[in-house]
Amino acid sequence: MMQTCCIHQSFCFPHRILPRIDVSSSIGINKLPKPPCQLGFIRKTQSFGISNLTRQRRLYVNLNANDGHPSMSMLEQVEEEEEEEASVENSAQSPGAELPFSKWSPSKYIWRGLSVPIIAGQVVLRILKGKIHWRNTLQQLERTGPKSLGVCLLTSTFVGMAFTIQFVREFTRLGLNRSIGGVLALAFSRELSPVITSIVVAGRMGSAFAAELGTMQVSEQTDTLRVLGADPIDYLITPRVIASCLALPFLTLMCFTVGMASSALLSDAVYGISINIIMDSAHRALRPWDIVSAMIKSQVFGAIISVISCSWGVTTTGGAKGVGESTTSAVVMSLVGIFIADFVLSSFFFQGAGDSLKNCV
C-alpha cells in the first residue's frame, strides 16, 4: 500500500513546494497515532551561505485531517544570536541613538590647515634631535638654490629696470637725482628682493614639492617608506624645509645685488645719471639692519613655502586630478602666506623707521 505526503521547505526566500513523491508503507504510517498528534524530528545544525547564520532545521510530521494521510513540512528556526543581532541593528539605525556630530565630516581645507602646524612642529623636533637626512638635504638644496638662481636673477633684473623708469623720471623733475639710489636700495632690500624671490621659488619649487609628495601619496609610496622603516617626515619633508630656509636668503641677496646693478646701468645709459651717484646714494641710505631684515624675511618665506607645499602634498587624495588640485592650491596658499607674513614682519621691523633718506638728500 502506497501513501503520499507533501514536503515543504522554508528558507529566507519564498516557500518552494517540492513535487509529491511516493514513499513505501515502511515508514510506519499505520502505526502513527491518531490526530491531532505531532511528531518532531530534530536534524543536526546546518549553515547556509544565504545569511551566513547558523540555523536549526526541524522536520514536523502532521496527520492530514481530510484524508488521514501524513504531511511532512521542513521549517527553519532562527537562533537567538540572529534575533540579538537584529535587535542591535535596529537600535543602531534608530535616530535616537545617533550622536550629535556623527554625520558631520570636516572639509579638506580644515584638515590641511591643521596639518600645517603639526608638520611644522614635527620638522622642528627632528631638527633639534638631529634626525636629518643629509643626502636628501643636499639634493634639495641644489634644486632650490643653484637651479633656481637663473630665473630669480632674470626676474629681479627686469623688476629693477621697471622701478628705475618710474622713479628716475619723477625724481629728476623734482631735482632729487641724489635720492634715486637710496630709494631704490631701500625698496629692493626691504620689500622687493625677498618678496619677488619668494614668489619665484613658490611657483617653481613649491609646486614641485606638492606634486612630488602628492604623487607619492596617491601611489602609496609613503606607505612603502613606513614599511621599510623610514619616516616620511625625516626622509621627505625635513630636507625640503631646510633647503628652502637656507637657499632663500642667498637668493635674496643676489637678487638685490643684480637689481641694483641693472637700475644703475639703466640710469646711466638712458637718463644720464652716473652710476657713482646711484651707488653713493644707496650706500648712504642703507643700514646693516636692512640687509639682515631681508634675509630674515626670506627665511620665513622659505619655511612657509616648504611647509605648506609639503602639507598639501601629503594630504593629497583622488589620483591625478587630486595631485593637480593640490599643486595649484599649494602655490596659491603659499603666496597668500608670503604676503601676510611680509606685512607682519614689515610692521614689526620698520615701525619706527623714517629717517633713512636724510643722508642722501
Side-chain angles (χ1 to χ4, degrees):
M1 178 179 179
M2 303 294 293
Q3 300 292 336
T4 60
C5 63
C6 297
I7 300 177
H8 300 278
Q9 280 188 328
S10 61
F11 295 93
C12 295
F13 43 83
H15 294 290
R16 183 177 60 188
I17 302 175
L18 298 179
R20 300 175 65 89
I21 60 174
D22 295 334
V23 295
S24 61
S25 59
S26 59
I27 62 174
I29 298 177
N30 297 329
K31 298 179 181 181
L32 294 173
K34 295 180 180 181
C37 184
Q38 178 177 348
L39 295 179
F41 302 94
I42 302 177
R43 301 180 61 181
K44 62 181 181 180
T45 302
Q46 296 183 359
S47 59
F48 297 90
I50 298 175
S51 60
N52 293 327
L53 295 174
T54 303
R55 302 171 183 267
Q56 287 185 350
R57 300 175 62 186
R58 294 179 180 271
L59 178 64
Y60 292 95
V61 180
N62 298 323
L63 292 179
N64 195 341
N66 296 327
D67 53 3
H69 291 174
S71 62
M72 294 183 294
S73 60
M74 198 81 66
L75 301 176
E76 289 182 347
Q77 293 183 349
V78 181
E79 293 183 346
E80 295 181 357
E81 291 81 2
E82 181 182 0
E83 296 178 357
E84 293 178 358
E85 291 180 0
S87 62
V88 171
E89 291 179 358
N90 294 332
S91 62
Q93 293 177 358
S94 60
E98 294 182 357
L99 296 175
F101 299 99
S102 60
K103 294 184 179 180
W104 179 77
S105 59
S107 174
K108 183 186 294 185
Y109 291 98
I110 296 178
W111 286 116
R112 284 180 166 175
L114 294 176
S115 67
V116 171
I118 294 174
I119 291 179
Q122 290 180 348
V123 170
V124 172
L125 290 177
R126 297 301 196 282
I127 295 175
L128 294 177
K129 293 180 180 179
K131 295 181 179 181
I132 302 173
H133 198 282
W134 292 107
R135 182 178 179 181
N136 285 355
T137 303
L138 293 176
Q139 291 177 354
Q140 298 301 326
L141 186 61
E142 181 183 3
R143 293 177 57 194
T144 309
K147 292 186 178 181
S148 301
L149 181 61
V151 64
C152 292
L153 295 181
L154 185 64
T155 304
S156 63
T157 298
F158 285 97
V159 170
M161 290 190 294
F163 268 78
T164 300
I165 293 173
Q166 301 297 329
F167 281 113
V168 168
R169 289 179 178 178
E170 301 296 332
F171 277 68
T172 301
R173 292 178 182 180
L174 296 175
L176 299 174
N177 294 343
R178 292 186 175 276
S179 301
I180 295 174
V183 172
L184 291 175
L186 292 177
F188 270 96
S189 63
R190 293 181 178 181
E191 297 296 332
L192 292 179
S193 293
V195 172
I196 291 175
T197 305
S198 301
I199 291 174
V200 173
V201 173
R204 187 181 185 278
M205 297 308 304
S207 59
F209 292 164
E212 290 171 358
L213 296 183
T215 304
M216 296 180 70
Q217 181 67 24
V218 297
S219 60
E220 298 181 355
Q221 296 183 32
T222 54
D223 297 333
T224 306
L225 289 175
R226 294 187 180 94
V227 172
L228 296 176
D231 192 348
I233 300 294
D234 298 337
Y235 192 80
L236 298 175
I237 298 179
T238 304
R240 287 171 167 80
V241 175
I242 294 175
S244 299
C245 293
L246 292 179
L248 262 296
F250 293 100
L251 290 176
T252 300
L253 187 60
M254 298 186 71
C255 288
F256 168 74
T257 304
V258 172
M260 285 301 302
S262 63
S263 299
L265 291 175
L266 184 64
S267 299
D268 189 13
V270 177
Y271 299 101
I273 301 175
S274 176
I275 297 177
N276 294 330
I277 296 177
I278 300 294
M279 292 294 116
D280 181 68
S281 177
H283 178 71
R284 290 174 179 273
L286 283 177
R287 298 289 186 272
W289 175 244
D290 296 327
I291 305 298
V292 173
S293 63
M295 300 184 73
I296 294 175
K297 277 187 175 183
S298 59
Q299 278 188 333
V300 175
F301 297 160
I304 292 173
I305 294 169
S306 56
V307 171
I308 290 179
S309 300
C310 293
S311 300
W312 259 241
V314 298
T315 56
T316 300
T317 56
K321 182 180 179 180
V323 173
E325 293 176 353
S326 296
T327 303
T328 305
S329 179
V331 175
V332 173
M333 294 304 297
S334 297
L335 296 179
V336 173
I338 287 170
F339 296 143
I340 294 175
D342 180 59
F343 168 74
V344 174
L345 294 176
S346 296
S347 61
F348 179 74
F349 289 157
F350 309 109
Q351 186 68 34
D355 55 351
S356 298
L357 292 176
K358 289 183 178 180
N359 297 326
C360 57
V361 176

